[in-house]
């Protein structure tokens, strides 16, 4: 994956270096005059979302074990630091660390992680669709924003329908996935079936309507805060009107593109691809100069992804955790848990 990422990055640079005029002096000037107040506000918002993630995880655990959100905060910091440094391959670090801390089976925390991601997807889709619905009609590319809002709402309804079906008949849905996908690949069918059962177990962790409402409210609040972190980062470029005046609703499309670009994030190389994806979106949809768009893409990476690294490194030292080792252990442990579930 490293080789593929590096080759792809070199190919993109070679392909576009003669087609796109890029002034490095302007790029550094944009970074030099960035508003630190806006950047600090964005970072504070992102750090607040990590606290909300810890609170949400404690709600998921509440039917099984009462755990304070504060005791789970370090696992969130370390887990997201591992993802920032090692890419999506380290995504299971958080459930692994939480399982160790609260002394519960890893499979239960992987189930919590699965349902957490579904709530994230649903909440983000709701925020996208609601915000994009209020985009003024006289803005450039208005039809793109409207189409994105419709797709987001469709995705929200599909997620809700899927969640309700899995909650009521998770075994049947799992068996159907195993039988259909298994015709093409037995291992893929088993993997999808196991994930569906994990999602069902995560849903079952919400033992009351109150817990469901609390988790939904936390998820929506968190994604609104993430959206405002994007707004604050864009507004930090005070000398670029296309970014300094960006509204919350228009920022949603940028956030959607950014999330899509981070789904298959490779270690380190993914930082540059993420910057390229968000810069292209800002240049295309907002008309921002390519240098300003690239500088803003770099600051978005710092605010939304890399800012957690100092806290994660501090927590890892305090808790005597090796980031690389725990990332490898979590991946191996999760694989063993899946194999055990398949055997069962």
């Amino acid at each position: 994956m490293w080789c593929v990422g590096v080759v792809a990055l070199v190919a993109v640079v070679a392909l576009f270096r003669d087609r796109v005029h890029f002034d490095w002096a302007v790029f550094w000037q944009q970074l030099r005059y960035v508003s630190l107040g806006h950047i600090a506000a964005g970072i504070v918002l992102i750090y607040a979302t990590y606290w909300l993630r810890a609170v949400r995880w404690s709600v998921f655990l509440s039917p099984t074990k009462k755990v304070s959100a504060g005791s789970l905060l370090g696992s969130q910091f370390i887990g997201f630091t591992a993802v920032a440094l090692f890419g999506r391959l380290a995504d299971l670090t958080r459930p692994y660390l939480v399982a160790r801390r609260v002394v519960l089976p890893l499979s239960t925390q992987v189930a919590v992680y699965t349902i957490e991601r579904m709530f994230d997807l649903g909440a983000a889709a709701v925020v996208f669709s609601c915000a994009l619905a209020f985009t003024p009609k006289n803005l450039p590319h208005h039809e793109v924003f409207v189409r994105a809002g419709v797709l987001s709402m469709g995705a929200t309804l599909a997620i809700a329908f899927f969640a309700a079906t899995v909650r009521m008949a998770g075994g049947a849905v799992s068996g159907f996935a195993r039988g259909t996908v298994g015709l093409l690949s037995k291992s893929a069918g088993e993997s999808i079936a196991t994930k569906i059962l994990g999602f069902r177990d995560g849903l079952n962790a919400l033992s009351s309507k109150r817990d469901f409402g609390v988790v939904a409210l936390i998820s929506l609040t968190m994604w609104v805060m993430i959206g405002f972190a994007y707004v604050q980062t864009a507004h930090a470029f005070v000398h670029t009107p296309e970014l300094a005046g960006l509204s919350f609703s228009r920022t949603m499309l940028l956030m959607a593109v950014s999330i899509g670009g981070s789904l298959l994030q490779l270690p380190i190389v993914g930082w540059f691809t993420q910057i390229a994806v968000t810069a292209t979106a800002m240049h295309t949809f907002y008309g921002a100069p390519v240098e300003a768009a690239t500088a803003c893409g770099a600051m978005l990476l710092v605010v939304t992804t890399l800012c957690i690294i100092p806290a994660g490194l501090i927590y890892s030292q305090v808790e005597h955790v090796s980031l690389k080792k725990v990332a490898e252990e979590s991946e191996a442990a999760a694989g063993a848990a899946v194999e055990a579930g398949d055997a069962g």
Side-chain angles (χ1 to χ4, degrees):
M1 292 182 68
W2 263 95
C3 292
V4 171
V6 170
V7 170
L9 186 62
V10 171
V12 169
V13 172
L15 181 64
F16 290 101
R17 68 177 180 178
D18 294 329
R19 301 186 183 185
V20 178
H21 174 72
F22 191 89
D23 191 329
W24 284 100
V26 174
F27 170 79
W28 292 115
Q29 187 180 45
Q30 287 285 342
L31 289 178
R32 180 182 177 185
Y33 292 110
V34 73
S35 171
L36 295 181
H38 285 294
I39 296 299
I43 291 175
V44 168
L45 285 168
I46 292 299
Y47 266 81
T49 65
Y50 291 123
W51 168 256
L52 289 178
R53 287 184 182 279
V55 173
R56 185 174 62 176
W57 205 295
S58 70
V59 175
F60 283 127
L61 288 175
S62 59
T64 306
K65 200 169 190 176
K66 299 298 181 182
V67 180
S68 67
S71 65
L72 300 176
L73 189 59
S75 300
Q76 304 298 320
F77 285 167
I78 296 172
F80 278 103
T81 298
V83 172
L85 294 175
F86 306 127
R88 287 298 169 190
L89 294 176
D91 227 3
L92 293 177
T93 302
R94 286 188 301 133
Y96 177 74
L97 290 174
V98 172
R100 279 200 332 188
R101 174 169 288 278
V102 302
V103 195
L104 287 173
L106 176 60
S107 59
T108 63
Q109 300 316 297
V110 172
V112 170
Y113 165 81
T114 304
I115 187 66
E116 179 205 51
R117 283 309 189 193
M118 294 301 287
F119 267 96
D120 278 342
L121 185 59
V126 169
V127 173
F128 291 160
S129 54
C130 291
L132 293 174
F134 295 99
T135 304
K137 294 183 178 180
N138 60 345
L139 288 176
H141 306 289
H142 176 262
E143 68 285 352
V144 177
F145 290 89
V146 172
R147 192 178 301 114
V150 172
L151 291 175
S152 296
M153 184 57 71
T156 305
L157 296 175
I159 291 169
F161 176 77
F162 177 74
T165 304
V166 170
R167 180 68 181 268
M168 293 184 295
V173 175
S174 173
F176 176 78
R178 181 183 290 109
T180 53
V181 180
L183 295 175
L184 300 176
S185 170
K186 185 177 179 179
S187 60
E190 290 293 343
S191 177
I192 292 174
T194 302
K195 286 180 172 61
I196 290 174
L197 292 176
F199 180 45
R200 182 198 60 186
D201 294 341
L203 284 173
N204 291 336
L206 297 174
S207 58
S208 67
K209 293 181 180 179
R210 178 183 175 279
D211 286 347
F212 182 90
V214 169
V215 169
L217 180 61
I218 290 173
S219 302
L220 288 170
T221 303
M222 187 175 67
W223 280 96
V224 169
M225 293 171 70
I226 292 173
F228 276 112
Y230 275 77
V231 173
Q232 289 295 325
T233 306
H235 287 185
F237 290 82
V238 293
H239 296 294
T240 305
E242 295 87 349
L243 299 176
L246 209 59
S247 65
F248 180 84
S249 59
R250 296 192 71 201
T251 309
M252 290 299 97
L253 199 58
L254 172 62
M255 188 162 72
V257 170
S258 177
I259 293 171
S262 67
L263 291 178
L264 296 175
Q265 184 176 334
L266 293 170
I268 310 300
V269 176
W271 298 354
F272 301 98
T273 56
Q274 184 76 357
I275 293 172
V277 167
T278 53
T280 301
M282 285 181 276
H283 180 64
T284 302
F285 296 125
Y286 310 139
V290 65
E291 294 84 3
T294 305
C296 187
M299 291 310 304
L300 278 173
L301 177 70
V302 171
V303 170
T304 62
T305 303
L306 302 186
C307 73
I308 196 60
I309 291 178
L313 293 177
I314 292 172
Y315 264 93
S316 65
Q317 290 298 314
V318 171
E319 300 187 6
H320 305 289
V321 172
S322 167
L323 283 170
K324 184 177 181 181
K325 184 177 179 181
V326 79
E328 293 172 350
E329 288 178 352
S330 65
E331 186 178 359
V338 169
E339 290 177 4
D342 293 345

